[in-house]
Amino acid sequence: MKQINAVILDWAGTTVDFGSFAPTQIFVEAFKQTFDIDISLAEARIPMGLGKWQHIEALGKLPAVDARWRQKLGRSMSHQDIDALYQAFMPLQIAKVIDFADPIEGVPQVIAGLREQGIKIGSCSGYPRAVMEVLVPAAAQRGYAPDYWVATDDLAAGGRPGPWMALQNAIALGIDAVAHCVKVDDAVPGIAEGVNAGMWSVGLALSGNEFGATWQEYRQMAEGEIEQRRTAAADKLYAAGAHYVIDTLAHLPGVIVDINRRLANGERP
């Protein structure tokens, strides 16, 4: 049948860690701890979705960060600097990620509903394997466990925005066609990953990196600010190639109904 039979989910900001704070806060701490250079949470969010070594590299190329780096060290960030920051980042992230393992509201229920339809649940992340080996069992204890997961450093070809982690999910789950997969992500590189893999790509405008608020902050936020942030996030995700943008994973079942209709009519991503 021409219908969706696998959903491939990002982690932070998509299924756990509303607002995607675990990685962003750790980047801020690693820069300060290692080189005494301040970066903001907003800056730390800009390359979100990349593998963490590549994320640090991209941060170093931001004009404002590069200017601070040159002022402090007299040169731009080197590969050795990236390695040093990555070495600082890893133990901090491993220690902290368990504190951000709670499923986002509605996620366990959506996963249960998808499984009732026979849809397999894959996942991938910009986190390296050492972090995922802590996060995955912590999330499972709290109610979220996908059928498969792959980390950004698992594959020789690399991570996002390339298609390889998404395609590895399709292989591992035994999916017959990439057009029968939905990739869901809250960050631009993850949307591009799905598009590059030939899958339907769905962005999350409210629970993740682009919206950039905790659950508590969101709940207390004025409606005008919510709409402004939601629109800005959706615009970025659509510009990256998203076929759909929804607030949170709780709205995914309706999207799958529409995609199944389009597949039945002969449409492809």
Side-chain angles (χ1 to χ4, degrees):
M1 292 180 65
K2 295 179 179 178
Q3 64 182 27
I4 294 303
N5 49 34
V7 170
I8 300 163
L9 305 169
D10 178 49
W11 282 76
T14 296
T15 53
V16 299
D17 186 11
F18 190 100
S20 194
F21 277 88
T24 47
Q25 184 60 50
I26 300 304
F27 283 122
V28 173
E29 293 180 25
F31 270 71
K32 185 67 174 178
Q33 174 181 295
T34 310
F35 289 101
D36 195 27
I37 290 176
D38 293 313
I39 65 169
S40 67
L41 271 176
E43 288 169 331
R45 288 187 181 281
I46 292 171
M48 189 57 67
L50 297 176
K52 301 315 175 194
W53 195 97
Q54 291 77 16
H55 188 129
I56 294 166
E57 180 183 39
L59 282 173
K61 293 178 179 177
L62 295 176
V65 175
D66 180 57
R68 268 173 256 150
W69 200 275
R70 286 175 173 274
Q71 184 177 20
K72 186 82 172 181
L73 300 174
R75 55 176 173 77
S76 291
M77 185 185 289
S78 68
H79 275 220
Q80 290 76 21
D81 297 333
I82 300 171
D83 286 340
L85 284 163
Y86 188 78
Q87 292 304 315
F89 168 88
M90 283 294 288
L92 290 170
Q93 188 68 90
I94 290 168
K96 293 280 189 180
V97 75
I98 195 170
D99 296 332
F100 296 86
D102 287 333
I104 292 168
E105 185 168 303
V107 167
Q109 294 83 356
V110 167
I111 298 302
L114 295 176
R115 284 181 167 142
E116 286 177 4
Q117 300 174 50
I119 294 173
K120 297 178 180 179
I121 310 299
S123 69
C124 54
S125 177
Y127 282 135
R129 174 160 282 270
V131 176
M132 292 298 289
E133 287 176 343
V134 175
L135 174 58
V136 170
Q141 289 178 350
R142 302 176 198 192
Y144 170 61
D147 300 321
Y148 181 77
W149 62 271
V150 60
T152 194
D153 57 348
D154 280 346
L155 304 177
R160 299 165 180 157
W164 304 290
M165 289 194 295
L167 293 175
Q168 176 60 29
N169 271 270
I171 292 168
L173 296 172
I175 306 307
D176 60 353
V178 290
H180 298 164
C181 299
V182 176
K183 172 70 207 310
V184 186
D185 209 293
D186 62 294
V188 164
I191 295 299
E193 173 188 27
V195 172
N196 290 335
M199 300 174 178
W200 300 92
S201 202
V202 177
L204 301 183
L206 196 147
S207 66
N209 180 68
E210 298 299 342
F211 194 89
T214 66
W215 173 249
Q216 292 76 17
E217 288 168 343
Y218 160 66
R219 297 281 289 177
Q220 297 169 5
M221 199 173 285
E223 188 56 43
E225 184 177 356
I226 291 173
E227 192 54 38
Q228 181 180 15
R229 288 191 184 215
R230 176 193 280 125
T231 299
D235 287 347
K236 285 186 180 181
L237 296 167
Y238 276 127
H243 299 96
Y244 299 83
V245 175
I246 54 181
D247 280 354
T248 72
L249 201 70
H251 299 90
L252 184 63
V255 169
I256 291 177
V257 170
D258 193 59
I259 293 174
N260 284 338
R261 175 190 60 80
R262 295 172 69 177
L263 285 169
N265 289 336
E267 291 188 55
R268 293 294 180 271

